[in-house]
Amino acid sequence: MEVSEVTRLAQWFTDNSSEVRSDYQELIKVLDHNARQTQKLPFSEHVAQLSRSLINMPTKELSLLQYRVLESLHVDSFIGKKGSDWVYHLVRDTSFDPSTLLEKIQSTLNYLEDAERLLRDFSSVASEIGFKEPVVEEDEASYIVNVIFKDDASIRNVVEWKDTAKDWDLIIGSVAGLVDEKPEEVKVIGASNGSIVLTLAATYSVVKLLAMISKNVASIANDYLDFRIKLHALEQSKFMTATMKKELIKQEESLRKESKEQVLKEVKEAVPNAAPEALTKFDKGLDNFIDFGEKGGGVDFVSPPELDENHEDYDPDMAQQFEDVRNLIIEYQSEVQRAKLLTDQSDESDSDEQVEE
């Protein structure tokens, strides 16, 4: 995990959870009264206020890596729209039992307070040991992208490191070339171990195009994963013949080819003036990108913030650029979430098989 992702998340959490935690505390006061007293107080307005505060949290600004941190802290379901749904379902299911409702609401607040404390402590320690945010040149309007090398796309030795560097030189170089930029304009501003995360800074044109392509590549990887899950299920059913398997793999390869052609079509529409040689290079880079996604690798975009239109330096063109990138990132994240659901489905299927054995 890139340290800067966590420190930015800590600041985001501090800035955006205080009102939510205050609303939780107000609701808890009423629920505590109702759990102790015969004369009950209404609390629907407190629930509505808490829901509004949760929905107003700018969760679109969070990257997938930051969501993973929130998942590890067990608070991802308690913020934003998911948090609002959680509260309404909880109230609906337990409103007849004030004590149980109070206990669960208090537990949720405890999780949020613990998360805020742990993130704050992490930032303090990072600051004490001299960590500083990656620096991007002032004259560059840069967007942050994390490339995640994990699962079969992990880097385990120097040979894989060398091969991966070649692959990503082609991927980034081919995308940059489509918008007439040089690959060296995409800066490496950070790296971390674990699954290995490489942090890049790129221009609006490159990131917008990369986000669009990433969404399509994630969709192709999901189709591949879905096919493999279904193929595995058929193999386990013992009805699979060699001929059937060969035909299914042939169908999957055909679907993959059609999906790649669709990506190329969308890219040509997005960059109608791209040079023929740039498109030829991108065709090769796209193969590497698809292979990277199917192996489990991924990219993660740090969403640009929403600009305050009342600020004296407000730039409507920049605000629109930010909005365009945010929307593409959201579409990409939806595909990544679909992959998570497919993976969970596969894990459940494997668990069921082990139980039957």
Side-chain angles (χ1 to χ4, degrees):
M1 170 62 69
E2 176 64 35
V3 174
S4 61
E5 286 288 281
V6 185
T7 57
R8 283 195 293 266
L9 174 61
Q11 188 59 56
W12 181 93
F13 205 86
T14 298
D15 293 342
N16 296 288
S17 69
S18 58
E19 184 175 346
V20 167
R21 286 183 280 117
S22 176
D23 289 339
Y24 264 112
Q25 290 164 353
E26 291 301 314
L27 176 58
I28 286 170
K29 289 179 184 177
V30 178
L31 294 178
D32 183 59
H33 170 90
N34 290 351
R36 297 171 182 272
Q37 305 297 328
T38 305
Q39 186 70 30
K40 308 301 182 185
L41 296 174
F43 58 87
S44 59
E45 182 52 41
H46 291 284
V47 172
Q49 175 57 43
L50 173 57
S51 177
R52 286 191 292 270
S53 296
L54 286 164
I55 290 175
N56 287 335
M57 296 180 81
T59 53
K60 292 180 181 179
E61 296 177 3
L62 297 175
S63 68
L64 291 171
L65 288 174
Q66 290 169 334
Y67 266 115
R68 287 184 188 176
V69 174
L70 295 178
E71 286 176 1
S72 70
L73 295 172
H74 309 293
V75 294
D76 58 301
S77 297
F78 301 147
I79 64 170
K81 176 66 166 54
K82 288 174 68 176
S84 174
D85 292 343
W86 155 256
V87 170
Y88 268 121
H89 290 147
L90 182 60
V91 171
R92 182 195 64 191
D93 296 340
T94 60
S95 59
F96 61 89
D97 184 353
S99 296
T100 299
L101 179 56
L102 171 62
E103 179 183 346
K104 292 191 174 183
I105 288 292
Q106 181 64 64
S107 176
T108 301
L109 176 59
N110 291 344
Y111 272 115
L112 291 171
E113 290 178 337
D114 287 345
E116 199 274 338
R117 175 180 54 79
L118 289 169
L119 288 169
R120 185 179 64 245
D121 290 349
F122 180 93
S123 289
S124 296
V125 171
S127 177
E128 288 173 5
I129 62 175
F131 170 77
K132 295 181 180 180
E133 286 282 341
V135 176
V136 180
E137 296 298 326
E138 289 292 332
D139 60 345
E140 295 177 350
S142 296
Y143 298 75
I144 307 302
V145 183
N146 292 301
V147 183
I148 307 166
F149 302 90
K150 62 185 181 68
D151 298 337
D152 291 337
S154 298
I155 301 173
R156 293 170 288 263
N157 53 56
V158 173
V159 174
E160 290 180 351
W161 180 17
K162 179 181 178 182
D163 291 341
T164 299
K166 287 182 179 179
D167 289 343
W168 272 92
D169 176 56
L170 179 57
I171 292 169
I172 291 296
S174 65
V175 173
L178 290 170
V179 290
D180 201 27
E181 292 188 19
K182 297 178 181 178
E184 54 265 31
E185 293 180 50
V186 179
K187 309 296 184 183
V188 176
I189 61 171
S192 65
N193 58 9
S195 297
I196 301 187
V197 178
L198 193 66
T199 303
L200 310 176
T203 64
Y204 164 73
S205 297
V206 170
V207 166
K208 182 180 178 181
L209 194 56
L210 185 61
M212 184 193 77
I213 296 166
S214 297
K215 179 197 71 173
N216 286 289
V217 168
S219 178
I220 294 172
N222 285 341
D223 290 341
Y224 175 79
L225 177 59
D226 187 38
F227 168 79
R228 289 296 165 183
I229 291 171
K230 290 175 180 176
L231 183 63
H232 178 67
L234 283 172
E235 288 174 334
Q236 293 300 315
S237 71
K238 300 184 174 30
F239 292 114
M240 174 74 76
T241 65
T243 302
M244 289 172 60
K245 183 174 181 178
K246 184 177 180 180
E247 181 59 29
L248 286 169
I249 291 175
K250 184 178 178 181
Q251 290 179 16
E252 192 276 332
E253 290 174 347
S254 177
L255 176 62
R256 189 179 191 271
K257 182 179 179 181
E258 291 174 5
S259 298
K260 178 188 173 183
E261 289 173 351
Q262 181 60 31
V263 178
L264 290 170
K265 179 183 176 183
E266 290 188 22
V267 166
K268 289 177 183 178
E269 291 174 351
V271 196
N273 297 322
E277 59 271 21
L279 290 169
T280 300
K281 183 177 181 180
F282 174 69
D283 188 294
K284 297 177 181 177
L286 181 57
D287 285 332
N288 287 2
F289 202 178
I290 292 172
D291 187 53
F292 178 73
E294 290 179 347
K295 287 180 178 179
V299 294
D300 185 25
F301 300 86
V302 177
S303 188
E306 293 188 23
L307 300 182
D308 183 1
E309 61 181 13
N310 296 318
H311 194 279
E312 60 180 12
D313 294 328
Y314 177 74
D315 183 340
D317 292 335
M318 181 66 72
Q320 186 60 55
Q321 285 186 4
F322 281 12
E323 181 66 19
D324 291 343
V325 170
R326 271 196 303 273
N327 289 336
L328 286 168
I329 291 172
I330 290 169
E331 291 177 12
Y332 167 67
Q333 289 178 340
S334 296
E335 284 296 333
V336 174
Q337 290 302 316
R338 185 162 76 91
K340 188 174 185 298
L341 291 174
L342 286 170
T343 303
D344 291 344
Q345 173 190 333
S346 176
D347 292 342
E348 289 175 6
S349 176
D350 290 342
S351 297
D352 290 343
E353 290 168 12
Q354 292 174 4
V355 171
E356 289 176 4
E357 291 174 0

